[in-house]
Amino acid sequence: MAAWFPAWAQPVSSGITAPLPTVSGNDITLRIARQTMRIDGKLSRAIGINGTVPAPLIRLKEGQTAKLTVINDLDEDSSIHWHGLILPFQMDGVPGVSFPGIKPKSTFVYEFPVVQSGTYWYHSHSGLQEQLGHYGPIVIDPAGADPIGYDREHVVVLSDHSQLSPEAIFRKLKVNPGHFNMQRQTLAGLLAGKDQPLKERIDWGKMRMDPTDVADVNGSTYTFLVNGHGPRDNWTALFSPGERVRLRIVNASAMTIFNVRIPGLRMTVVQADGLNVVPTEIDEFQIAVAETYDVIVTPAEDRAYTFVAEANDRSGMGRATLAPRAGMVAEVPPLRERPLATMKDMGMGDMSDGAMAGMDHSGSGDMGAMPMPATDPSCPPEHAKMGHCTPAGEGGAMAGMDHGSGGMQHSMRDFSVAPQVKRDPSVQTISPMPMDRMGEPGQGLENVGHKVLTYHDLVALERNPDVRAASRSLDIHLTGNMERFMWSFDGIKMSDYHEPIPFIEGERVRINLINDSMMSHPIHLHGHFFELVTGKGDRSPRKHTVLVQPGGTASFDFTADALGDWAFHCHLLYHMHAGMMRVVSVRPKGDGE
């Protein structure tokens, strides 16, 4: 029966312990080319760099000048974006934004000073090449002493791979966005009491929503990889009992948010997105696409541990082994029960699912909107009334509540709470009551029985370089139509934008991201770090990517200190490809400003 087990539960190899190939120095050559890769014994088509997937680990030193000669051996344009690196915008590597791209059979030289240290990564920003293996890790050693002490380190690159071409995946999503969802609720699940009660299913059906729609592409087509190896390959990281082992974990996947844990071994988070944080001991963390986390583990026993990277919809997992010797394996835990979306994931705040009966499912937008909490960071003080936030001119804080029935009427098509959002078929819903969810661990992780990292747990190890209050704020709605697989910011996709989002050099701005969809969105700003608004003052965690939970909000402050044009987008590859991207333009101060 072993052949019928899921990949992560099948017998494994004797263990692959080879580290990632590494390139370093002041003059590095990288060659992009098509190749094949073998995953769990099966050959797949891929795009690699220097013959490997993931691409080689680039090891740099803070203070050096990096010169990277990139040769494009493909028959199509390509590029490399240095994710999280602070550099001149002409070197950022986004075709059509900061440079023209690298033509087939041609060469481009990236050259920039290395002004930071930490764990980062690089990938293609051309078409859908990233899905095929065009990604790799970067480690930058600090110029001085590293405040993080460790005896051994391993770089761990998480990713997803399909035998389907990325173009075929995108076509299927456009025809039927639920194509890859093999975890829908069933009659058997209803009778067994595992799925939602029938009445709630009917309510969700009226809204044409599916509570099992957590990941657009998942384990039905993906194999989840650790350093380019499938679950049966058993990639193994070695240790000696008692050592402090640093794991530099990069989520380089196209579409997969992972929940990472090592059963029987606690982890201490020491770095997030390349920047040091106050050490925080946890049992599990959710890592969004494009995020990096460094953790310290200290295995004391002479035994193997399983490294689990479970897809957030629990349709599969990447797995590896942490062991004193090659060939060892530990028990692999079964996949946990898949999460179901709730009213909170629809932007209904903390309402119970029973409140659905009072909702306006008509889509007419006549009923007004349930106001957002006054504590929401996007709520101006002058609009905070009776514990809620009401947009100016919208009839008071109690608008949208039906007092006659004793219930509450809600419209998920009330554009009055999002006046800048374009009324368009691409916008399926507007969250009536979005709330700050940065203090939550992520979908399905609320009641796992152990400590799960949240953004509120992160505290910067050093004081933030700019502690000024923001001089202005900007709301950006994350919008989409899940039935048509259309994604955008403020209802307009990238190809329809004509002007970038403007900022003046040196200004301090608060960005409020408001998720009007039922999907999580990892939002990445190129060329800058930003400070999450989590109440940590001058030790706010600084990141380059933030995961905005479904129906939730996330706020950050940033200083527009890097001149030029920069990409700003959802890092789910097919969401970005469908239009969820903008350009941010940082312009010089004018005379007299």
Side-chain angles (χ1 to χ4, degrees):
M1 295 293 292
W4 297 98
F5 293 164
W8 52 267
Q10 292 193 19
V12 298
S13 73
S14 59
I16 296 169
T17 59
L20 293 170
T22 302
V23 292
S24 61
N26 294 321
D27 198 344
I28 294 170
T29 298
L30 302 171
R31 183 181 298 273
I32 305 167
R34 293 197 176 270
Q35 62 173 79
T36 58
M37 61 185 296
R38 190 176 293 275
I39 301 169
D40 288 342
K42 296 180 180 178
L43 280 177
S44 283
R45 292 175 297 175
I47 292 177
I49 294 181
N50 293 4
T52 69
V53 175
L57 165 63
I58 297 176
R59 192 118 202 175
L60 303 172
K61 180 84 170 181
E62 182 182 9
Q64 78 169 92
T65 295
K67 181 181 179 184
L68 301 121
T69 301
V70 178
I71 303 166
N72 179 13
D73 265 351
L74 301 175
D75 294 323
E76 61 191 90
D77 286 14
S78 192
S79 58
I80 292 181
H81 163 57
W82 315 99
H83 188 103
L85 268 58
I86 302 300
L87 36 62
F89 83 95
Q90 301 93 334
M91 296 289 115
D92 192 49
V94 181
V97 177
S98 53
F99 89 136
I102 309 173
K103 296 298 179 186
K105 313 301 181 184
S106 69
T107 298
F108 184 84
V109 178
Y110 293 88
E111 192 163 4
F112 51 85
V114 179
V115 299
Q116 63 205 100
S117 62
T119 303
Y120 304 95
W121 65 296
Y122 62 107
H123 60 85
S124 173
H125 232 288
S126 301
L128 300 171
Q129 293 172 2
E130 186 182 346
Q131 175 75 91
L132 287 168
H134 189 332
Y135 52 80
I138 301 171
V139 172
I140 305 174
D141 295 307
D146 194 331
I148 303 168
Y150 56 96
D151 302 305
R152 189 191 299 238
E153 74 170 17
H154 295 286
V155 176
V156 181
V157 178
L158 307 177
S159 61
D160 44 30
H161 183 83
S162 175
Q163 293 282 346
L164 288 175
S165 73
E167 293 78 16
I169 291 175
F170 189 70
R171 283 196 301 272
K172 291 179 184 297
L173 289 171
K174 290 297 288 185
V175 172
N176 172 23
H179 177 88
F180 296 102
N181 184 4
M182 304 301 176
Q183 301 195 105
R184 291 187 177 90
Q185 300 183 102
T186 62
L187 176 61
L190 174 67
L191 296 176
K194 292 182 178 180
D195 293 340
Q196 289 177 321
L198 181 60
K199 184 180 184 306
E200 290 181 16
R201 284 204 204 181
I202 292 172
D203 287 334
W204 279 83
K206 288 178 181 176
M207 295 180 295
R208 302 172 74 175
M209 299 286 187
D210 184 350
T212 67
D213 193 2
V214 174
D216 294 308
V217 193
N218 56 27
S220 65
T221 188
Y222 276 152
T223 300
F224 301 109
L225 309 183
V226 179
N227 287 348
H229 298 290
R232 297 177 63 185
D233 290 332
N234 190 28
W235 183 81
T236 302
L238 299 179
F239 70 87
S240 295
E243 282 185 326
R244 282 173 57 87
V245 181
R246 180 176 188 168
L247 303 177
R248 299 179 180 266
I249 302 167
V250 177
N251 187 350
S253 63
M255 293 292 287
T256 307
I257 298 165
F258 289 106
N259 298 325
V260 175
R261 70 192 194 275
I262 306 174
L265 202 56
R266 300 206 82 191
M267 299 176 282
T268 300
V269 178
V270 293
Q271 198 176 89
D273 283 359
L275 301 183
N276 296 329
V277 296
V278 174
T280 303
E281 193 172 50
I282 57 160
D283 298 292
E284 184 170 5
F285 64 91
Q286 185 167 92
I287 183 169
V289 177
E291 287 187 310
T292 72
Y293 282 104
D294 287 28
V295 302
I296 299 289
V297 294
T298 309
E301 301 178 56
D302 186 40
R303 71 175 184 90
Y305 299 85
T306 296
F307 178 95
V308 176
E310 188 177 46
N312 72 326
D313 73 335
R314 294 176 179 153
S315 60
M317 70 169 71
R319 59 77 61 103
T321 299
L322 189 62
R325 293 172 297 282
M328 299 180 72
V329 294
E331 180 183 358
V332 180
L335 289 169
R336 296 173 292 190
E337 186 176 349
R338 54 124 162 77
L340 295 176
T342 66
M343 286 292 91
K344 188 185 289 189
D345 298 319
M346 293 181 63
M348 294 292 178
D350 277 318
M351 292 169 53
S352 66
D353 285 355
M356 292 179 71
M359 289 180 56
D360 166 25
H361 305 302
S362 67
S364 65
D366 294 336
M367 301 307 300
M370 189 61 191
M372 71 179 67
T375 53
D376 191 284
S378 63
C379 178
E382 64 270 20
H383 297 162
K385 303 170 185 176
M386 299 179 65
H388 293 90
C389 183
T390 303
E394 290 306 317
M398 307 308 285
M401 303 183 80
D402 173 11
H403 304 291
S405 66
M408 293 181 290
Q409 296 287 351
H410 309 272
S411 169
M412 297 189 70
R413 292 284 294 170
D414 185 358
F415 284 79
S416 67
V417 298
Q420 75 272 42
V421 174
K422 182 181 179 183
R423 288 177 176 265
D424 188 272
S426 66
V427 182
Q428 187 176 26
T429 56
I430 297 291
S431 293
M433 195 176 174
M435 60 182 295
D436 182 350
R437 302 190 67 179
M438 289 195 290
E440 301 180 23
Q443 280 180 293
L445 295 174
E446 302 87 352
N447 301 301
V448 292
H450 55 235
K451 173 60 182 174
V452 184
L453 183 75
T454 74
Y455 285 142
H456 281 205
D457 295 321
L458 299 175
V459 179
L461 190 63
E462 298 177 352
R463 188 171 186 261
N464 298 156
D466 191 347
V467 296
R468 294 176 297 159
S471 60
R472 65 182 177 101
S473 65
L474 178 65
D475 290 353
I476 297 176
H477 285 256
L478 316 181
T479 46
N481 186 324
M482 296 166 68
E483 291 183 2
R484 303 186 186 186
F485 203 74
M486 302 170 78
W487 297 102
S488 56
F489 287 141
D490 291 335
I492 308 174
K493 63 181 185 290
M494 176 67 175
S495 59
D496 292 337
Y497 280 110
H498 302 292
E499 293 293 330
I501 303 174
F503 296 95
I504 300 300
E505 181 185 11
E507 75 168 320
R508 186 91 169 137
V509 184
R510 173 161 297 184
I511 304 294
N512 301 308
L513 301 172
I514 303 163
N515 191 349
D516 288 322
S517 78
M518 280 175 53
M519 307 299 292
S520 298
H521 298 286
I523 303 299
H524 171 48
L525 174 61
H526 287 222
H528 298 78
F529 279 88
F530 47 73
E531 290 80 51
L532 298 183
V533 180
T534 55
K536 298 301 187 294
D538 63 359
R539 296 297 182 97
S540 297
R542 305 184 69 219
K543 298 185 91 270
H544 52 57
T545 304
V546 60
L547 182 65
V548 190
Q549 296 290 343
T553 67
S555 294
F556 63 78
D557 293 338
F558 92 106
T559 302
D561 56 3
L563 289 173
D565 292 340
W566 304 96
F568 175 62
H569 61 92
C570 176
H571 222 288
L572 297 180
L573 181 62
Y574 300 109
H575 287 195
M576 180 180 71
H577 196 64
M580 204 170 198
M581 179 173 171
R582 285 289 302 267
V583 174
V584 165
S585 182
V586 180
R587 300 165 179 175
K589 290 181 180 179
D591 293 337
E593 291 192 41

